[in-house]
Amino acid sequence: MPHEDPRGRFERRRTERCDALAADFGLTEREAQVLRLLAEGRRPKEISEALVVSVATVRSHVHAIYTKANVHSADELAALIREDGRSE
């Protein structure tokens, strides 16, 4: 495998963590997409534009993610995404 730059490695690992969390918490595919965009630091309006849905729909998905992940804030969700509790 060719050398992977640090930014590419970070983005790949972040995506892998989001995918693992989505599976662990039983997120729908759309919720998983929203989670990955949130992990990139996107705001609800930016997510709504990227996914071509309303901001209200994005907020609904975010609420479902918070509920399934048992978190209550963006900071708690970000901490969950940063954690890598899986043993490899």
Side-chain angles (χ1 to χ4, degrees):
M1 175 187 232
H3 175 70
E4 184 176 27
D5 67 69
R7 183 177 175 93
R9 184 173 41 253
F10 172 80
E11 289 174 2
R12 179 179 50 80
R13 287 184 179 162
R14 181 183 60 211
T15 299
E16 288 171 353
R17 284 193 302 273
C18 287
D19 291 346
L21 288 172
D24 290 348
F25 296 125
L27 302 185
T28 66
E29 181 55 38
R30 188 57 111 180
E31 290 165 352
Q33 290 173 330
V34 171
L35 177 63
R36 287 188 293 270
L37 292 169
L38 287 170
E40 291 175 9
R42 305 262 191 114
R43 307 293 296 169
K45 181 157 177 42
E46 295 170 313
I47 294 170
S48 75
E49 291 168 356
L51 300 179
V52 192
V53 297
S54 72
V55 173
T57 298
V58 171
R59 290 183 198 277
S60 176
H61 289 311
V62 170
H63 178 73
I65 292 166
Y66 281 21
T67 299
K68 291 177 181 181
N70 195 29
V71 298
H72 303 93
S73 69
D75 288 339
E76 286 182 42
L77 185 62
L80 240 178
I81 292 167
R82 281 191 308 268
E83 290 177 8
D84 190 5
R86 298 178 163 265
S87 56
E88 296 181 26

